Amino acid sequence: MHSFLLAFSLKCFIPFDMMKIIEKAKKEHSLSRDELIYLLKDNTCDEYLFNAADEVRQKFVGDEIHLRALIEFSNICKNNCCYCGLRRDNKNIERYRIDEDTIFKLAEHAVKNLGLKTVVLQSGEDMFFTTDKLCRIIRKIKTLDTALTLSIGEKTLEEYKAYHQAGADRFLLRIETTNRELYEKYDPGMSWENRAECLKNIGISGLEIGSGCLVGLPGQTIESYADDILFFKQIKADMIGIGPFIPHKDTPLKDAKGGTLQTALKVMALTRLLLPDINIPATTAMETLEPNGQTKALQSGANVIMPNVTLTQYRKHYELYPGKSSTNYSPDDSLREVREKIASLGRTIGKGYGSHQK
Ligand code: SAH
Ligand code: SF4
């Protein structure tokens, strides 16, 4: 193996020690903080890293790509995250809530007509949707043949337990960044400790733990990305979404530079190496940054896509960041595009619910 590595390294001018670290990660699924930083700092071995993540993805979760039907059911939010277009101080968006019957109909269409096996309900932190209302919606959607994921922000342990008891399977709550100071600067009034506690409680409640981070917030560093990846491992995440930060004109971070696809892909690929069997989406933000961003992600460790099945009339108002890819397409159009992408990669669409197989 070493002579092969040496030959490859000489041919492609990749530092030998970097290749050794990547090979080690492929076998042992563990790296030190320093090793992660070393790989994140230098871009000479990016293609080698992406290929390694693709191989590990293939070995542990196979060629199936799981589709999740995303329903953005409310853009009303009590929080004021400095990076997000839905923040409460943004007066330039039209706020909406989709009523319970329509949410169910969208889920039903996704499951029965489009054949999707997971419904994801996402929203701002909208207090109108009380635990009772949410549990009613969850119970109704769970009469369909589908897994159900929630992405609705910070809740109490009791609330997470209630969602699980009503039938919800998974919960997405990105830590956004493990740099506490930065988190609290950009998420005014929120506490990093509480967010981390929520992730713990999601696990205790029996829900699968989904988390992730942004890449490219002003002040985020290579070191903090290394910490993010180690944090995902520490919390035993079942799924991790990595999104490049895309500045929104109606937020305090409007003049920021934003994240790059390359760095987001690197953080994602390293996450795949260290958590080999989890679910990792090719995020919409990646596709928004570059037209083939999602394809690149699917070839660098990702195994999930979340097609948007929210009605077009609402979708345009759910602008977490500008240019959210395929905002103008109908649910059926978004799905057709996704199916074509998967076929062109020679991969297949997941037939089961696509839960984390530990
Ligand atoms: N309110 C819930 C879910 C909706 S926000 C929550 O905050 O958990 C979903 C995700 O959108 C956030 O976790 C954040 O990482 C991402 N997001 C928000 N603004 C963004 C931006 N400007 N660029 C890229 N991603 C963004
Ligand atoms: Fe609200 Fe989520 Fe946006 Fe923060 S990221 S403002 S919690 S929708």
Side-chain angles (χ1 to χ4, degrees):
M1 173 59 96
H2 272 195
S3 58
F4 164 75
L5 280 186
L6 186 60
F8 193 95
S9 177
L10 288 173
K11 193 167 146 234
C12 306
F13 306 106
I14 299 172
F16 185 59
D17 53 344
M18 278 193 152
M19 289 176 75
K20 260 175 65 181
I21 296 173
I22 294 172
E23 288 300 319
K24 183 180 106 170
K26 256 168 78 176
K27 276 203 215 93
E28 297 173 12
H29 310 296
S30 137
L31 287 178
S32 69
R33 184 173 187 266
D34 284 346
E35 287 170 329
L36 284 169
I37 292 169
Y38 186 47
L39 294 180
L40 284 164
K41 270 205 173 133
D42 192 305
N43 289 338
T44 47
C45 64
D46 285 4
E47 288 311 312
Y48 194 85
L49 169 64
F50 296 152
N51 286 334
D54 198 41
E55 271 181 49
V56 169
R57 183 272 309 154
Q58 216 272 335
K59 182 171 166 200
F60 281 82
V61 294
D63 281 335
E64 285 194 330
I65 293 173
H66 301 290
L67 303 182
R68 322 295 199 196
L70 178 65
I71 301 175
E72 297 159 335
F73 68 94
S74 163
N75 70 352
I76 296 169
C77 190
K78 71 177 173 62
N79 294 333
N80 221 8
C81 307
C82 294
Y83 41 82
C84 178
L86 304 192
R87 66 198 304 270
R88 68 164 185 267
D89 282 356
N90 181 9
K91 306 290 179 233
N92 290 336
I93 61 168
E94 203 176 296
R95 303 283 174 173
Y96 71 83
R97 277 185 192 117
I98 303 184
D99 65 80
E100 285 182 36
D101 281 349
T102 311
I103 296 174
F104 177 74
K105 285 200 179 96
L106 287 171
E108 192 177 39
H109 178 63
V111 177
K112 289 193 174 162
N113 303 334
L114 304 178
L116 302 184
K117 293 278 181 197
T118 293
V119 170
V120 181
L121 297 182
Q122 193 182 76
S123 69
E125 288 200 20
D126 181 356
M127 295 302 102
F128 171 83
F129 287 95
T130 57
T131 309
D132 280 354
K133 284 195 182 105
L134 281 163
C135 287
R136 200 161 58 218
I137 297 169
I138 294 167
R139 277 193 293 272
K140 197 148 179 227
I141 292 179
K142 285 297 286 189
T143 61
L144 303 165
D145 177 22
T146 184
L148 180 59
T149 304
L150 297 171
S151 174
I152 55 176
E154 297 183 12
K155 304 285 170 184
T156 62
L157 174 60
E158 282 60 42
E159 287 169 311
Y160 292 130
K161 279 183 178 164
Y163 306 146
H164 186 242
Q165 273 157 21
D169 303 279
R170 316 174 187 139
F171 201 101
L172 300 175
L173 186 78
R174 287 186 180 169
I175 193 69
E176 315 294 2
T177 171
T178 40
N179 179 327
R180 290 159 206 238
E181 271 172 40
L182 215 57
Y183 178 86
E184 288 175 11
K185 180 171 159 196
Y186 292 141
D187 295 76
M190 295 170 84
S191 124
W192 189 91
E193 289 301 331
N194 189 55
R195 202 152 181 98
E197 182 75 12
C198 284
L199 284 165
K200 206 161 108 195
N201 288 339
I202 288 168
I204 293 172
S205 73
L207 293 158
E208 276 193 24
I209 306 169
S211 193
C213 65
L214 286 164
V215 168
L217 287 170
Q220 268 181 306
T221 57
I222 293 293
E223 287 76 11
S224 74
Y225 300 137
D227 290 334
D228 294 344
I229 298 164
L230 293 172
F231 178 80
F232 302 150
K233 206 165 166 69
Q234 183 204 318
I235 63 169
K236 298 193 168 61
D238 297 294
M239 45 197 171
I240 289 296
I242 313 286
F245 159 58
I246 304 175
H248 188 295
K249 68 173 176 22
D250 298 316
T251 66
L253 291 178
K254 61 177 184 296
D255 296 323
K257 215 164 126 246
T260 64
L261 179 64
Q262 194 74 359
T263 310
L265 287 176
K266 283 186 82 169
V267 175
M268 190 197 76
L270 287 164
T271 302
R272 170 59 75 198
L273 292 183
L274 266 58
L275 292 94
D277 60 4
I278 64 164
N279 283 315
I280 298 184
T283 56
T284 311
M286 289 178 170
E287 186 75 359
T288 305
L289 269 194
E290 267 187 39
N292 61 348
Q294 250 176 356
T295 303
K296 283 189 181 165
L298 292 170
Q299 294 172 312
S300 311
N303 71 322
V304 170
I305 296 186
M306 297 165 70
N308 199 322
V309 301
T310 317
L311 293 172
T312 320
Q313 78 207 71
Y314 298 116
R315 221 192 289 181
K316 60 176 180 281
H317 301 301
Y318 197 87
E319 204 184 51
L320 301 163
Y321 47 85
K324 251 174 100 241
S325 179
S326 73
T327 305
N328 295 322
Y329 294 169
S330 71
D332 301 42
D333 288 341
S334 309
L335 198 71
R336 192 170 319 115
E337 202 189 56
V338 164
R339 284 188 201 284
E340 283 166 12
K341 200 176 290 180
I342 293 172
S344 75
L345 287 170
R347 307 261 286 272
T348 55
I349 294 177
K351 291 190 186 66
Y353 299 116
S355 303
H356 179 200
Q357 304 296 325
K358 290 180 211 182

